[in-house]
Amino acid sequence: MKGEFHAPSLGDFFPDPIWLHDVAGGWFTIDRLMVVRLFVILLVAIFFGVAFHNPKLVPGKLQNAAEMVLDFVRTGIAEDILGKKEGKRFLPLITTTFVIVFFLNLPSVIPFLNISPNARIGMPLVMAIVGYIAFIYAGSRKYGFFKFMKSSVVIPNMPPVMHLIVVPIEFISTFILRPVTLTIRLMANMLSGHLILALIFGATNFFFWQLNGWTALSAVTLVAAILFTLFELLVIFLQAYIFALLVAVYIDLSLHASEH
């Protein structure tokens, strides 16, 4: 409403159900946030599908943009962390991780969407579980599951009594905290970004429609909103980069578990 201020709340991330809310106890409920997720995923699939449908030696603008994304992930994350051989092997997973996280972060600064689907824990948790499975698979494939688990938590040449303390710490750090921190880092950053943007734009609306001396303050809050939106764009990219980078790092650690 004009001249009124409504503080954002966590209710923004749990909008009213639109469809399927009576199916399987609500597990498949489609709400506004899920619609945004599905819409963005569809756009990403169309973008890469069209870009590489008929690739040319001299790429057009769309193909060139898609190739820039793939080349950035290949050289800047996969090969840089895993080397050329393993980087090529895990490139599809790391690229998919980066692209999905990045494009699902973008709606937080897109008008009429105004919220990142990654600000609710479901999608970050799914992506973290995928990365979790990937690094366990990588280590198990190379060493065998039980040898990989042992190499990941047992530090050689340590007094036996110390293992009673160190093994539980290593297990929690490697197999519990990794997916938990991946999930919370992404969700918390996108959630806080949405709340701050909503506060600043809400304040701008409130001050402007006072139509008195307070109206001038709306110019200050508007400039702050624009600057924070630009900052949020940087956060959007960095969160996608860090998420994909950490997945690559965890896979690399699994591949070198014996060097623990």
Side-chain angles (χ1 to χ4, degrees), residues 85-151:
K85 180 181 177 181
E86 297 297 342
K88 181 178 180 180
R89 178 184 170 197
F90 289 98
L91 181 61
L93 170 70
I94 297 171
T95 301
T96 302
T97 299
F98 174 83
V99 168
I100 289 179
V101 173
F102 176 78
F103 282 100
L104 286 180
N105 285 347
L106 272 180
S108 64
V109 295
I110 297 177
F112 306 110
L113 296 180
N114 303 119
I115 190 169
S116 168
N118 287 334
R120 193 163 71 187
I121 198 169
M123 198 65 195
L125 179 60
V126 169
M127 298 303 299
I129 289 174
V130 170
Y132 182 74
I133 293 172
F135 83 74
I136 291 178
Y137 164 80
S140 300
R141 181 71 182 270
K142 182 172 182 179
Y143 299 104
F145 178 76
F146 293 105
K147 184 178 180 181
F148 163 65
M149 293 292 291
K150 179 182 177 182
S151 299

Side-chain angles (χ1 to χ4, degrees), residues 171-210:
F171 179 83
I172 293 172
S173 173
T174 302
F175 297 104
I176 296 179
L177 290 184
R178 284 182 184 179
V180 169
T181 53
L182 274 177
T183 301
I184 294 176
R185 181 187 296 105
L186 176 58
M187 182 201 70
N189 275 279
M190 302 318 300
L191 185 150
S192 60
H194 169 81
L195 293 178
I196 293 173
L197 282 173
L199 280 170
I200 298 175
F201 279 109
T204 301
N205 176 74
F206 173 76
F207 288 127
F208 179 82
W209 289 106
Q210 297 305 303

Side-chain angles (χ1 to χ4, degrees), residues 148-168:
F148 163 65
M149 293 292 291
K150 179 182 177 182
S151 299
S152 298
V153 300
V154 176
I155 299 178
N157 302 319
M158 180 178 288
V161 69
M162 291 297 296
H163 289 304
L164 297 175
I165 301 174
V166 174
V167 168

Side-chain angles (χ1 to χ4, degrees), residues 8-31:
S9 69
L10 293 181
D12 296 343
F13 304 98
F14 300 95
D16 294 332
I18 299 173
W19 191 38
L20 299 179
H21 57 280
D22 293 327
V23 177
W27 279 86
F28 300 98
T29 297
I30 302 295
D31 57 19

Side-chain angles (χ1 to χ4, degrees), residues 206-218:
F206 173 76
F207 288 127
F208 179 82
W209 289 106
Q210 297 305 303
L211 300 178
N212 53 31
W214 287 103
T215 300
L217 191 57
S218 66

